């Protein structure tokens, strides 16, 4: 059992946990990353493969992480060490990889989260009032991301906010915030999607999202769909191990895990239902890449009554959704330093977020502010490289190792027992023993050999 005072305590209720875990899962991955990768890899076919991965790989790995976390009651490194039957505890290295990955993801995620704050400020000051064409919002976006002071400053602001919440511990900060704000965000997305799909010309966007053309699917697309499924569910780096460790023994893991996966996937699809109809309706089919949501959203606000207020609420809630995700990223690294290294929570929070800020600077400056960090020199911008390296490759490797550990090392029986004996236990066993490891290995080896992940 973890010491509540050192590790932040236990979740007070099942709903508190579901909201916090869903809060970790739901974030920029759904609203920013899902639409633009879907756009990049051809639409509906990519979406189908992504959903397939959520079911076949995401849900099994999610349940594996939650049970590893709760059975051990520890941070990822301590969790593998506690459950590894071997003398040398080599599997704790998987936890170590997870901690490193969490740090890597946080370093670029904070930059994108900073962009949402920049847009929130613009929305508050009325920049979007009166409507904006995609060309205008595209220019605004390019200006913002190329401004060194603004991007570096906003990343710092975001990391600071994250640090302040994580310092408060689990039930204090995370649970309370997530409980209120996630449902509000969901409602808002439903309204926005309702408006987007009734725009003139929206049907082209719906076709892009739902009518698959498998000839557009490339091996790189398959790798990205896997990466996206893991990224979106916060899997492969121990976030769900850490949250599982704060979960009380009486909660039933499968119910909690599957609810989180359903919510998360729904929100990604909802984001697609907003972005693509709005994009095609505005005739801006050329808008793509990491700027996609930022360029498309301003076009839709003035199509709504009280559009300006809507814009403000959208960016505010998106920033909050990002915050509940950065909290979980920082929490993993902090839990490691507190649990394994004996640091105080306070010290861990400030040292880790400070170091993460330094890592965030090159990502923040790689979007046009500083020559040499962009795609012209590196092939992909520094931020994109971090995104692919940590967000796809490292998560894939982590998820593979977690599945192998649960299936072969710790053992299916012990895990299923921890889950409270679930009806589909045997199926889950097959998934973690065979489907996940083989599936992930084949996809990763193929795309690495072809150097296609870039
Ligand atoms: N799942 C989060 C999102 O979709 C990102 C994340 C990845 C959070 C990995 C924690 C761990 O935005």
């Amino acid at each position: 059992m973890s010491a509540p005072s050192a590790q932040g305590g236990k979740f007070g209720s099942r709903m508190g946990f579901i909201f916090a875990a869903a809060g970790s899962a739901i974030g920029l991955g759904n609203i920013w990353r899902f639409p633009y990768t879907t756009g990049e890899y051809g639409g509906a076919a990519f979406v189908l493969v992504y959903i397939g991965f959520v079911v076949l790989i995401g849900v099994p790995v999610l349940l594996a992480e939650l049970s590893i976390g709760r059975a051990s009651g520890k941070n990822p490194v301590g969790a593998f060490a506690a459950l590894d039957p071997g003398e040398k505890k080599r599997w704790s290295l998987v936890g170590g990889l997870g901690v490193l990955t969490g740090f890597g993801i946080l370093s670029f995620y904070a930059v994108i989260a900073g962009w949402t704050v920049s847009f929130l400020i613009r929305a508050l000051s009325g920049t979007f009032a009166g409507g904006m064409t995609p060309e205008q919002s595209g220019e605004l976006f390019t200006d913002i991301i190329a401004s060194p002071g603004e991007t570096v400053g906003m990343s710092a602001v975001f990391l600071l906010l994250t640090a302040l919440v994580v310092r408060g511990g689990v039930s204090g900060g995370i649970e309370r915030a997530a409980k209120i704000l996630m449902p509000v965000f969901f409602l808002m997305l439903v309204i926005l999607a309702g408006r987007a799909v009734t725009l003139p010309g929206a049907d082209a966007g719906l076709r892009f999202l739902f009518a698959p053309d498998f000839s557009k699917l490339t091996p790189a697309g398959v790798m990205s769909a896997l990466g996206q499924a893991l990224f979106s569910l916060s899997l492969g780096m121990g976030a769900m191990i850490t949250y599982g460790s704060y979960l009380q023994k009486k909660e039933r893991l499968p119910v909690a895990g599957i609810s989180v996966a359903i919510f998360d996937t729904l929100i990604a699809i909802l984001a697609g239902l907003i972005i693509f109809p709005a994009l095609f309706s505005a005739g801006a089919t050329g808008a793509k890449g990491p700027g996609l949501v930022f360029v498309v959203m301003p076009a839709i606000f003035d199509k709504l009554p009280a559009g300006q207020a809507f814009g403000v609420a959208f960016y505010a809630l998106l920033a909050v959704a990002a915050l509940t995700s950065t909290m979980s990223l920082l929490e993993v690294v902090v839990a490691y330093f507190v649990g394994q290294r004996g640091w105080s929570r306070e010290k861990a929070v400030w040292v880790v977020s400070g170091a993460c800020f330094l890592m965030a600077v090159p990502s923040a400056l790689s979007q046009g502010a500083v020559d040499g960090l962009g795609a012209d020199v590196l092939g992909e911008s520094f931020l994109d490289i971090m995104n692919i390296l940590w967000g796809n490759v490292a998560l894939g490797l982590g998820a593979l190792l977690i599945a192998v550990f649960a299936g072969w090392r710790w053992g299916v029986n012990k895990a299923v027992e921890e889950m409270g004996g679930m009806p589909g236990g045997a199926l889950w066993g097959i998934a973690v023993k065979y489907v996940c490891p083989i599936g992930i290995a084949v996809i990763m080896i193929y795309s690495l050999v072809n150097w296609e992940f870039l």
Side-chain angles (χ1 to χ4, degrees):
M1 288 285 284
S2 58
S5 56
Q7 297 228 345
K10 300 266 174 201
F11 287 105
S13 66
R14 140 115 48 98
M15 284 320 272
F17 167 77
I18 291 183
F19 278 123
S24 166
I26 297 161
L28 296 169
N30 309 60
I31 312 289
W32 160 75
R33 204 176 192 262
F34 172 77
Y36 97 78
T37 22
T38 300
E40 203 150 308
Y41 294 109
F46 173 90
V47 175
L48 280 180
V49 175
Y50 159 76
I51 293 177
F53 286 149
V54 167
V55 175
L56 291 174
I57 293 176
V59 171
V61 173
L62 175 55
L63 295 181
E65 287 203 26
L66 290 178
S67 32
I68 290 171
R70 191 175 61 178
S72 63
K74 290 202 155 70
N75 68 84
V77 174
F80 284 100
L83 303 180
D84 183 356
E87 277 295 308
K88 299 229 169 85
K89 308 292 178 200
R90 285 206 189 87
W91 282 87
S92 56
L93 284 174
V94 179
L97 172 70
V99 171
L100 209 64
T101 306
F103 185 81
I105 293 180
L106 182 57
S107 77
F108 76 82
Y109 201 98
V111 175
I112 318 289
W115 298 350
T116 68
V117 180
S118 288
F119 270 73
L120 173 60
I121 294 170
R122 301 302 188 289
L124 279 168
S125 63
T127 307
F128 307 122
M132 254 195 179
T133 65
E135 288 72 36
Q136 290 167 322
S137 50
E139 260 169 48
L140 174 67
F141 176 73
T142 314
D143 284 350
I144 289 176
I145 64 171
S147 147
E150 175 146 10
T151 49
V152 173
M154 289 303 164
S155 313
V157 166
F158 213 88
L159 283 168
L160 184 67
L161 278 175
T162 309
L164 289 172
V165 183
V166 170
R167 200 180 59 154
V170 170
S171 37
I174 302 180
E175 196 171 348
R176 226 178 307 144
K179 238 191 233 171
I180 310 165
L181 293 164
M182 298 317 289
V184 180
F185 191 47
F186 185 76
L187 193 71
M188 168 134 203
L189 292 174
V190 171
I191 298 173
L192 282 168
R195 183 63 194 106
V197 300
T198 51
L199 289 169
D203 50 320
L206 292 177
R207 247 176 286 127
F208 182 78
L209 194 60
F210 293 125
D213 172 358
F214 283 97
S215 68
K216 285 200 200 144
L217 200 62
T218 57
V222 175
M223 173 71 211
S224 301
L226 173 65
Q228 179 58 24
L230 298 172
F231 187 92
S232 193
L233 290 169
S234 305
L235 296 178
M237 44 69 73
M240 292 300 174
I241 294 179
T242 308
Y243 274 18
S245 77
Y246 302 140
L247 194 55
Q248 290 178 4
K249 287 285 178 195
K250 61 176 198 284
E251 302 299 350
R252 302 211 44 210
L253 295 180
V255 181
I258 290 169
S259 322
V260 169
I262 292 175
F263 273 139
D264 184 68
T265 309
L266 259 178
I267 300 243
I269 303 289
L270 263 178
L273 275 174
I274 300 169
I275 301 294
F276 292 108
L279 180 69
F280 282 78
S281 168
T285 44
K288 51 177 197 265
L292 185 61
V293 227
F294 294 97
V295 175
V296 172
M297 289 313 293
I300 189 174
F301 297 131
D302 77 310
K303 304 274 188 326
L304 285 159
Q308 198 196 342
F310 235 91
V312 171
F314 175 80
Y315 293 113
L317 288 168
L318 182 56
V320 172
L323 185 63
T324 53
S325 300
T326 52
M327 275 153 51
S328 70
L329 288 162
L330 181 58
E331 178 66 28
V332 169
V333 190
V334 165
Y336 162 74
F337 281 106
V338 172
Q340 300 303 115
R341 300 285 166 132
W343 290 16
S344 73
R345 197 173 176 83
E346 182 88 22
K347 173 177 168 196
V349 164
W350 294 120
V351 171
V352 173
S353 33
C356 201
F357 171 68
L358 297 180
M359 259 325 275
V361 171
S363 283
L365 294 179
S366 71
Q367 302 299 300
V370 170
D371 292 340
L373 289 169
D376 42 336
V377 178
L378 302 172
E380 297 272 349
S381 73
F382 188 84
L383 188 151
D384 284 320
I385 292 173
M386 297 299 275
N387 185 6
I388 293 162
L389 198 66
W390 300 113
N392 287 348
V393 181
L395 290 185
L397 189 61
L400 187 155
L401 293 169
I402 290 167
V404 170
F405 179 80
W408 297 96
R409 189 81 184 156
W410 183 35
V412 172
N413 291 343
K414 289 203 192 100
V416 170
E417 197 182 308
E418 180 63 37
M419 288 182 225
M422 64 171 165
L427 263 184
W428 178 82
I430 294 172
V432 283
K433 282 177 97 154
Y434 305 103
V435 180
C436 300
I438 297 172
I440 297 173
V442 168
I443 295 166
M444 286 194 63
I445 291 171
Y446 188 86
S447 70
L448 290 175
V449 167
N450 289 283
W451 211 236
E452 272 213 68
F453 59 99
L454 277 180

